Amino acid sequence: MKRKCQDYKSRLPDNTAMKQQQLPAFRLQLSANEILSGFFAIGLFCLGMGIILLLSAKSIREVEINYTEKCATCAKLREDATNFDKECNCSISFYLPQKMEGNVYLYYKLYGFYQNLYRYILSRSNIQLVGTDVKDVRNCAPFKTSDNGLPIAPCGAIANSMFNDTIVLLYNFNSSTHIRVPMVRTETAWWTDKYVKFQNPTFQNLSSAFAGTAKPPNWPKPVYELDEKDPGNNGFVNDDFIVWMRTAAFPNFKKLYRRLHRIGNFTEGLPAGSYSFIINYNFPVGRFQGQKAVVLSTLTWSGGSSLFLALAYLVTGAVTLLASFSMMAVHLKLKERKTFFLQ
Amino acid sequence: MFCSRKKSLEVERIVKANDREYNEKFLYKDNRIHTSKYSILTFLPINLFEQFQRVANAYFLFLLILQLIPEISSLTWFTTIVPLVLVVTMTAVKDATDDYFRHKSDNQVNNRQSEVLIDSNQDQSSAPYMKVLKKLQNEKWMNVKVGDIIKLENNQFVAADLLLLSSSEPHGLCYIETAELDGETNLKVRHALSVTSELGADISRLAKFDGIVVCEAPNNKLDKFTGVLSWNGSKHSLNNEKIILRGCVLRNTSWCFGMVIFAGPDTKLMQNSGKTKFKRTSIDRLMNTLVLWIFGFLICLGTILAIGNSIWENQVGDQFRTFLFSNEREKNSVFSGFLTFWSYIIILNTVVPISLYVSVEVIRLGHSYFINWDRKMYYSRKATPAEARTTTLNEELGQIEYVFSDKTGTLTQNIMTFKKCSINGRIYGEVCDDWGQKTDMTKKKETMGFSVSPQADRTFQFFDHHLMESIELGDPKVHEFLRLLALCHTVMSEENSAGELIYQVQSPDEGALVTAAKNLGFIFKSRTPETITIEELGTLVTYQLLAFLDFNNFRKRMSVIVRNPEGQIKLYSKGADTILFERLHPSNEDLLTLTSDHLSEFAGEGLRTLAIAYRDLDDKYFREWHKMLEDANTTTDERDERIAGLYEEIERDLMLLGATAVEDKLQDGVIETVTSLSLANIKIWVLTGDKQETAINIGYACNMLTDDMNDVFIIAGNTATEVREELRKAKENLFGRNRSFSNGHVVFEKKQSLELDSVVEETVTGDYALIINGHSLAYALESDVKNDLLELACMCKTVVCCRVTPLQKAQVVELVKKYRNAVTLAIGDGANDVSMIKSAHIGVGISGQEGLQAVLASDYSFAQFRYLQRLLLVHGRWSYVRMCKFLCYFFYKNFAFTLVHFWFGFFCGFSAQTVYDQWFITLFNIVYTSLPVLAMGIFDQDVSDQNSMDYPQLYKPGQLNLLFNKSEFFICMAHGVYTSLALFFIPYGAFHNMAGEDGRHTADYQSFAVTTATSLVIVVSVQIALDTSYWTVINHVFIWGSIATYFSILFTMHSNDIFGIFPNQFPFVGNARHSLTQKCIWLVILLTTVASVMPVVAFRFLKVDLFPTLSDQIRQWQKAQKKARPLRTRKPQTRRSSSRRSGYAFAHQEGYGELITSGKNMRAKNPPPMSGLEKTLYNSTSWIENLCKKTTDTVSSFSQDKTVKL
């Protein structure tokens, strides 16, 4: 289409490298040596990485206690929705044989809870959560409005199903002295979540900011009463709420609940000894045949325990090395009877 | 679009001259032609309808509709509509431009001017009696109507199929060239009925002409016409000899008048041109099949997931309902499964993204531009670059198995040159032989100045001073030789206004000989029925023509008997050497051996040879013989045999003079091209309208036929049974008698015959060739024999079909296309090749010639046959390899991309949750991965162009369709599935129990999405980097650029600012920042990449190491020889010594001898003084009658009666 007058002068195509397909180019033709040495290198790297990961995974101390069965009475109580206002506490004791050094993190873990359902993930309103329009409940079906027609804040299925057990860890210093292990809830959520994605509506008073909205049906208290002691942790910017709102990828997941505050006895971490969890049991898992657990864990350079990654690296490294040996064997054996095509 | 008007099938055509109103009743089509498909109004509906007929487009439309249903929409609608609109628009724009150019060329043809006899005053047209006031007016072709009378002038194209009424030549003769129709360049004679030829150029009489022609309905038979003209109360039968067809050119006739019988689309030319078919490549078709398969595959996946969803809803989901979706009613799990099915169909549709189609088109467009830009396919002499006129067929160029080539103008230049001669045992014209390359040397050599001949033709090139010396010295043999050339021929001469001699030649070889004689001082000046005047070295000599012993196919020679001014009677004879050598006088033995050697030498160079001999006759003997001839002519029984006997008798004891060698000049590089293409396993069939001898000669000249061939079968039967018998014999010969054959009566079932073929292909060894003429072909193409024909033809190395009509060319192509399932290419230059060009998978037109029809109908055009080599072996091969690589990669990429959703389905309650962000899904195919694969698809070169040319064997994988077929597709698919498994399950495993470095949880859905997406982008980028074998700057920019783009877009979309503006659209805020700073995420990505890529590398390494293909070997060698100059290919053997083929290929029918001796074509001013001899010849068989006899369609009296009754 771009034929101009000048093209008519000479219809001889331009002699440019591009048009004549003569662009200078590197011809990628991996030789056997290159491939084989690449394979060896990668195999060794993977093997090494696997060993490092394995060692670091071994260094992690982790305690997981499934309390679904252990708190059977509470679980039964929660089966019946009419008992929602009844408190139920449950205590679980355990013994820590070795001390957990360094930072210790407390997670809650759910089994069989599908936080990744398509309609579940969609059922939230980012506009509401960022505080621009508290009444925006467009995407929140089926938890848009309460029975009396008020928009729910925070709306949607995710918010409604928020994990609401409270977990307290006691250190049984001796049979009579129970020290409550100091835990902090700060820095459990991502910075962007806490300061960008979740914002309270700008009002001097939180309760008036949420005026004209209803609490999610499953919640005992409205959102502005999540943490009345700390205004920086109340409303939408509540850490537990934010952590819950970051939906998990798979039906079994753990979420960060608290961090060990390393003071007093616990500056080194959790000393060995006897502990007990006091759990205020609110979240019903029996209905979906799920399980709940609490996890105490330390970290390593790569984060949490990644035994799978370590093993995967080991296997990949081993297979790659094996493959490179067999490829080399094949190559050397065939080299003799390879004939050059020109002859 | 008037011509789309439907009407009942025409059985018979009735046309009244000069009466438009009368003819209008019949609604005959006017002379406007349409090759375009759309008009402005019909463009949109027709084009859209056509586009949505494509499986892919319809599929995407369907998906779009699905996405608009909120219950099942799992992806936003813009993910599909944007690309779909883009594709449809692009295609529409392309179709529109194509059609615009067709409109333009139609207009150009429709607006050609011709002189038509029409009413001088339009107002008076209503008054019938005023109609006589007609005059010649210039009118556009499209306004010419059936029944109009048209005046044609010399060298004009004929506007429509005309009934010749009168002409400037005596007896209403006119000469036409039918090259556009059937490829023959020799002149043909048409003559008007004597009653109409009297009309002459008298406008008033022509205007009053009101004859009614009743004739056959429009058809495509070029050599057949039946009709009756009723005028002035008498009826005259009409046949093909009185019709001038559209597409012919009037030659040697200053004017003629004709009445339009068929116009526009009804003309035989247009009827023969076949329909414009939408051509698709086999890869296109394969892709359509694959899309259907993939659709089936999607349905399977969807069903599995839907069943899973039903079960899940039943077992697990119900418990969530009360918990998560408390205010929803109890839901039917089966219904939920049904909705999930459609949701997953939408999600998984990216297996065949619409960008595939866009990319394929872009790649093809790029390849087309490379063809247009190729300087090595640019013909500087005519300033013609190669042109890809269709941009959708490039990769098919890499799969050609059969090439159907026209001869004249394609293989040959249609120039006959007098190259050499052997006179009395001495060769002249040998000059440039020592250097091998002839054409180059001739340019350097100073052209001989023919001082002796003022009439010398400037274009004539003959470079032997020895011959000039001999002429000047007066060597009697040399003089006799040249005299013979000037006397013994059927050429007619004419002097134009400038005093230059113009020869009307029936056959270019004869022209070459007479011109040679003219340039060497023996100028043929003029002839009358009984004299021939030549100028011998400046002196005019008139010879008395006593007898003319004409050429025919059986005699293979022609002779004249003349009496020279001295009174001696001489017989001059020229003909095929084998024939002539038998009739030489015994004293010639030494000379014969010598000349024979010379002839072998000439033949070895591919020249057409003729032996030249004379005989002195004494008066008495001649008179006796002449008397016997007269007697023979008057007898009725066995007349032909007796005449033949007499001819035999006088043409003996000849004295050999020598031999001539005429070159039917091949196009440059034809031999190399043919050799190279046959090395590439491409079979070349020559389909020509030319005569058998010429065709065979060319076959030998370009090495398609050789003497090493085990057998050359010639099928030239005249009846169905003969043809059948000949085919059967040839087959027996070919396969040996151990194989039983259907004797042609049993119809082979297609399947069975194909099975047989596969067996046969192994058993037949040796080279065979098949030569079949058009007449036999008509029978052989009948359904019960065509399998035999095909089987035979496909076993032969070379197939030559001669004297075939344009339609037969197309039929042969169709036959091979249909039953061999092979990719065909047709190449030609004339209008007679149009149907073949259109029906072959790929049509190539030779451009730069006068006629444009072939080029206009073609898909590719270039100026020289030899460019075919580069087009196929370099461009075609590259296109194919690139396209296959592209498709393999593309399907792999999208399987890897999409199937992750499937695996995820099992872990998200089959809820149609996507793994990736919606934005990633939208952009993945368009932005993140499109350019690297496009760059590979456009620029990749597995081996260099030089190597592609040097090793034609590299072409074979394309023919065998090895690089992309169903099994390759499954390999790609398996590769994709494997990658998707790695992509999903490695992060899945790692995310189990994962925590970030700061203890915060990272196993959330969004991090998983980012991890998988990043792994995917890196894996497919590494894969494309490995697939790209030719890394140009562009590849670097695109590959690195794509990865960079991915990360920059990722970070942008996850940034706070964009979230602040559109919180609902970009909910992934901060994700990239948090996830991609985690070491373990990168460890996951790295492991995924290694696990996805390493097996493929290992597999390919082993494949190349264990079973290296030629291309692999050349690539390795190329790498090793990086700096050394590429090895030059062994020059294909240019000429091989071969047996003599003396081609007296002057005419397929008898020559013009009778016409000459009858004097019919002579100007009336030379009153024909008929001698007894001439009279007998004339009276015995009027040449016109003779010609009528030979045409198959004499109007039988029966049909005449019938038409008269009507």
Side-chain angles (χ1 to χ4, degrees), chain B residues 715-727 744 772-790 803-805 808 811-812 815 1192:
Chain B
I715 311 286
N718 280 321
T719 61
T721 28
E722 263 180 75
V723 171
R724 206 170 275 164
E725 189 61 21
E726 282 177 12
L727 280 174
I772 184 163
N773 67 24
H775 218 70
S776 311
L777 198 62
Y779 295 113
L781 285 173
E782 278 164 21
S783 58
D784 58 334
V785 217
K786 72 179 170 197
N787 277 316
D788 288 359
L789 171 73
L790 193 65
R803 298 221 55 74
V804 290
T805 61
Q808 280 181 327
Q811 281 173 336
V812 173
L815 185 72
T1192 47

Side-chain angles (χ1 to χ4, degrees), chain B residues 665-684:
Chain B
K665 247 188 160 172
L666 289 178
Q667 301 267 14
D668 295 339
V670 165
I671 298 163
E672 290 80 356
T673 307
V674 167
T675 316
S676 171
L677 291 185
S678 38
L679 276 175
N681 207 22
I682 298 171
K683 297 200 175 84
I684 303 178

Side-chain angles (χ1 to χ4, degrees), chain B residues 571-614:
Chain B
L571 180 141
Y572 290 116
S573 188
K574 64 177 177 184
D577 49 9
T578 45
I579 304 284
L580 225 54
F581 285 177
E582 285 170 15
R583 5 201 106 252
L584 292 181
H585 194 266
S587 63
N588 284 301
E589 210 162 293
D590 291 343
L591 185 56
L592 192 147
T593 345
L594 205 58
T595 312
S596 201
D597 290 347
H598 292 168
L599 280 171
S600 306
E601 193 181 304
F602 295 159
E605 289 163 33
L607 301 175
R608 280 201 230 187
T609 55
L610 279 181
I612 302 283
Y614 76 99

Side-chain angles (χ1 to χ4, degrees), chain B residues 371 377 397 844 860 862 867-873 875-876:
Chain B
I371 292 173
M377 286 174 26
L397 288 174
V844 178
Y860 297 90
F862 43 69
Y867 298 146
L868 190 63
Q869 187 185 2
R870 191 168 170 86
L871 184 72
L872 298 187
L873 297 186
H875 289 284

Side-chain angles (χ1 to χ4, degrees), chain B residues 509-540:
Chain B
D509 340 28
E510 259 197 337
L513 294 181
V514 178
T515 312
K518 170 178 149 187
N519 286 295
L520 294 168
F522 285 75
I523 307 162
F524 165 63
K525 285 293 234 191
S526 64
R527 67 157 85 235
T528 68
E530 56 175 14
T531 59
I532 298 172
T533 308
I534 63 171
E535 187 184 320
E536 293 182 6
L537 299 171
T539 46
L540 275 181

Side-chain angles (χ1 to χ4, degrees), chain A residues 1 3 10-15 18-32 34-36 38-39 42 45-46 49 53 62 105 107 109 112-114 116-121 125-127 130 136 138-139 142-143 157 160-161 187-193 196-197 218 243 246-251 254-256 259 283-284 287-289 299 301-305 308-309 312-313 316 320 327 330-331 334 338-342, chain B residues 73-74 97 312 316 319-320 323-328 331 370 372-376 378 383 385 387 875 878 882 904 907-909 911-913 939 941-945 951 984-986 988-991 993-1001 1003-1008 1025-1026 1028-1034 1056 1059 1063-1064 1067 1069-1071 1073-1075 1079-1080 1083-1084 1086-1087 1090 1094 1097-1098 1101-1102 1105-1106 1110 1112-1119:
Chain A
M1 310 304 113
R3 279 182 206 148
S10 164
R11 298 176 69 196
L12 179 69
D14 301 340
N15 192 9
M18 164 75 188
K19 290 189 173 181
Q20 301 307 317
Q21 306 198 56
Q22 302 283 342
L23 283 177
F26 164 71
R27 283 185 188 276
L28 181 73
Q29 168 72 8
L30 293 177
S31 67
E34 285 159 352
I35 289 177
L36 287 176
F39 259 73
I42 289 171
F45 169 79
C46 287
M49 186 54 74
L53 282 173
E62 193 177 68
Y105 297 84
Y107 300 88
K109 191 165 186 179
F113 188 92
Y114 285 83
N116 56 8
L117 293 181
Y118 178 61
R119 296 175 58 224
Y120 180 83
I121 288 188
S125 167
N126 284 326
I127 292 179
V130 86
D136 182 298
R138 260 179 296 167
N139 300 330
F143 298 100
N160 186 46
S161 60
E187 287 178 41
T188 50
W190 289 7
W191 186 88
T192 42
D193 285 357
V196 180
K197 207 173 176 183
N218 279 12
V243 167
R246 182 156 283 279
T247 51
F250 297 104
K254 66 176 187 187
K255 290 190 182 227
L256 185 56
R259 298 186 297 126
F283 195 74
R287 280 189 216 157
F288 58 93
Q289 280 145 20
L299 289 182
W301 62 274
S302 66
S305 156
F308 171 84
L309 211 54
Y313 264 105
T316 311
T320 310
M327 275 156 64
V330 168
H331 176 67
L334 282 165
K338 250 201 294 188
T339 49
F340 203 49
F341 74 105
L342 282 174
Chain B
S73 165
S74 44
T97 28
W312 187 86
V316 190
Q319 297 145 353
F320 276 102
F323 184 64
L324 302 175
F325 308 118
S326 70
N327 52 1
E328 276 189 17
K331 231 185 191 173
F370 282 137
N372 294 346
W373 286 334
D374 196 337
R375 285 167 78 97
K376 288 179 185 153
Y378 175 80
E387 192 187 355
H875 289 284
W878 273 348
R882 288 164 179 170
F904 189 51
F907 300 91
C908 68
S911 65
Q913 174 62 42
F939 299 108
Q941 299 180 8
D942 57 342
V943 298
S944 69
D945 57 340
Y951 302 99
F984 179 78
F985 284 99
I986 290 175
Y988 170 73
F991 270 52
N993 207 19
M994 186 156 90
E997 285 159 47
D998 46 7
R1000 295 172 216 194
H1001 85 125
D1004 62 305
Y1005 164 73
Q1006 293 188 338
S1007 299
F1008 179 70
L1026 287 171
T1028 305
S1029 49
Y1030 192 73
W1031 279 75
T1032 62
V1033 191
I1034 298 165
N1056 305 346
F1059 173 79
N1064 267 350
V1069 56
N1071 221 296
R1073 195 183 321 172
H1074 282 102
S1075 304
K1079 290 184 202 76
C1080 56
L1083 285 175
V1084 170
L1086 183 69
L1087 182 65
V1090 169
M1094 294 316 264
V1097 177
F1101 170 77
L1102 290 179
D1105 220 37
L1106 295 178
L1110 183 63
D1112 294 329
Q1113 295 177 342
I1114 289 176
R1115 290 175 61 192
Q1116 265 166 16
W1117 175 78
Q1118 232 172 219
K1119 192 185 177 185

